[in-house]
Amino acid sequence: MVEQATHREGTLMAGRPGTVVVGAGILGCLVAREILATDSRASVTVIDRDLIGSGASRRSAGLHFPRGANPAVRALTTESQRYYADLAARRPDLPIHPIGMTVVARESTEAKVRRTYLPEANLRRVTRVPDGVALPKGTVAWAGDGCQYADVPTLTQALAAELRPTVEFLEGVTVTGVSSSVDGVRLSLSTGPPLIAERVVLAPGPWLAARAWRDLVAPLGARVKKIVALHIEQAPTEQDGAIVFQEEDAFLLPYRRRGHWLFSYTCSEWDVDPDTVEPGVNPAHLAEARELLRRYAPRLADRCVSGRVFCDAYAPDAVPLVRALTDDSRLVFAGAANGSGYRLAPAVAAETVRLLSTQAPTPTSRKDTK
């Protein structure tokens, strides 16, 4: 737990904050947490256009499994794996739930599968698969460790509640303009007076094209893709675990807290707008999901009748982006986690704070703002 101040100091009243984090999803809250873990007296403000955890975090499946498609993502996964394990051990009240894992793929890809998953996964071939799952000819299954899922919005709000004694949260406040100068980063706000900070972290999730920072973020080449997860109306048991269809980049997750299964598959609709994307599933989504389910879990296909739709930011090379957006490094972007925002958030937050500490000005401390 971060060290808490003996009393709350409002940064807007007491002076300029050292760091402002724009975006109060799981990543933004973990960035704030990492800043304070590095310097418990740091002055931090977190701003969100909505309530804490109300964007992509609210719709996240919250599944963490120990894998990475390339060395960079595997390194991020390793760091996040350790972070969540430590967090869950120290805060057993948080909604982080270990579950079993079964990985399904073609037998001919075994070497690639083993390269993709971390050693912590301890993959081992199994001949028995979960009830209702079929193995098409040429496919095999592995059992694995290190899998967990979280109620991401509840987790995000719990982390924010822990931070509130030392962090200023501004909810329902939109950043309408961003500019950087030798005097700091100026944020124009929907509530009136601007806010000037020593440095700013943009963690906007899928809101890449917000007018305030659209031109700054555009050179990163990130794009926004639709994410679809279907709800399967069948109650999971306590013994059920996640089932990962490796080559299709899809998974079945027993959503015990809600009493149904969730099926996430890869939807290839790009360049959508989080403010206008339709939140409901359509016949095309159902058809795509059912086609895949009939291949691996035919008994579940007809129970796939509803779900959730949103979007996320994707980086050009499938590695989350942590980049300085200005020459003075006062303004940093963090995100584009390719649909793995929860899974990789701790490592991305840590990388963000490392970048701030090595390139950005020293943050104003809470003592300095008195």
Side-chain angles (χ1 to χ4, degrees):
M1 183 180 294
V2 297
E3 180 182 335
Q4 295 185 348
T6 55
H7 65 281
R8 182 186 182 90
E9 299 178 49
T11 54
L12 293 184
M13 298 298 294
R16 73 165 59 179
T19 306
V20 169
V21 181
V22 180
I26 184 66
L27 176 57
C29 288
L30 286 178
V31 168
R33 197 171 191 270
E34 282 297 297
I35 291 171
L36 289 175
T38 302
D39 178 3
S40 62
R41 297 189 308 145
S43 172
V44 183
T45 297
V46 179
I47 303 176
D48 199 280
R49 65 202 295 276
D50 202 339
L51 299 180
I52 293 165
S54 292
S57 293
R58 182 167 71 88
R59 299 166 178 85
S60 171
L63 179 63
H64 175 97
F65 36 66
R67 76 174 191 190
N70 54 58
V73 175
R74 284 193 289 278
L76 293 171
T77 303
T78 299
E79 188 169 2
S80 291
Q81 181 101 2
R82 292 169 182 166
Y83 186 99
Y84 281 131
D86 179 66
L87 180 62
R90 289 188 295 110
R91 291 285 308 274
D93 58 303
L94 293 176
I96 301 174
H97 312 288
I99 55 173
M101 176 180 68
T102 301
V103 179
V104 177
R106 284 180 295 128
E107 186 172 20
S108 60
T109 66
E110 179 167 359
K112 181 178 180 181
V113 170
R114 291 191 178 279
R115 287 195 303 271
T116 299
Y117 283 78
L118 304 180
E120 291 88 338
N122 188 28
L123 291 184
R124 51 214 180 262
R125 284 278 290 269
V126 292
T127 55
R128 294 186 61 184
V129 293
D131 288 344
V133 175
L135 292 180
K137 185 178 180 179
T139 63
V140 295
W142 297 266
D145 303 325
C147 189
Q148 50 101 334
Y149 81 100
D151 178 348
V152 179
T154 300
L155 174 62
T156 303
Q157 291 160 14
L159 294 175
E162 178 187 287
L163 291 169
R164 276 190 186 274
T166 50
V167 172
E168 191 85 26
F169 280 90
L170 302 179
E171 299 175 83
V173 176
T174 301
V175 176
T176 59
V178 180
S179 61
S180 182
S181 69
V182 293
D183 296 323
V185 182
R186 178 187 177 95
L187 300 175
S188 301
L189 305 179
S190 60
T191 48
L195 182 61
I196 299 177
E198 292 294 335
R199 55 195 189 176
V200 169
V201 177
L202 293 180
W207 280 272
L208 295 176
R211 184 175 301 176
W213 52 74
R214 180 186 306 154
D215 293 341
L216 290 164
V217 171
L220 299 177
R223 298 171 65 189
V224 179
K225 188 176 78 66
K226 184 177 286 188
I227 293 179
V228 179
L230 283 301
H231 296 172
I232 298 174
E233 295 305 316
Q234 177 169 306
T237 70
E238 288 299 315
Q239 291 71 43
D240 287 324
I243 305 165
V244 182
F245 306 109
Q246 179 66 23
E247 292 159 72
E248 291 82 2
D249 195 18
F251 60 81
L252 280 163
L253 174 65
Y255 241 33
R256 294 175 192 146
R257 67 183 179 86
R258 288 176 53 96
H260 65 84
W261 286 79
L262 182 143
F263 179 56
S264 176
Y265 77 96
T266 301
C267 178
S268 299
E269 296 181 42
W270 288 90
D271 302 319
V272 296
D273 183 343
D275 288 324
T276 60
V277 64
E278 286 290 334
V281 298
N282 60 41
H285 299 147
L286 290 174
E288 290 172 340
R290 287 170 177 166
E291 180 182 3
L292 185 52
L293 279 172
R294 287 192 180 100
R295 193 183 317 162
Y296 292 108
R299 287 190 293 175
L300 298 181
D302 291 337
R303 294 179 176 268
C304 182
V305 296
S306 63
R308 63 186 67 182
V309 177
F310 200 53
C311 54
D312 198 12
Y314 284 68
D317 60 358
V319 179
L321 296 169
V322 178
R323 299 284 189 277
L325 298 177
T326 53
D327 292 339
D328 59 15
S329 299
R330 290 181 181 270
L331 183 59
V332 170
F333 175 88
N338 314 291
S340 298
Y342 167 70
R343 183 162 69 93
L344 302 179
V348 174
E351 187 174 329
T352 301
V353 175
R354 287 193 289 267
L355 176 61
L356 291 174
S357 64
T358 57
Q359 297 190 32
T362 302
T364 304
S365 70
R366 304 194 71 80
K367 181 178 179 181
D368 294 335
T369 60
K370 289 182 178 179

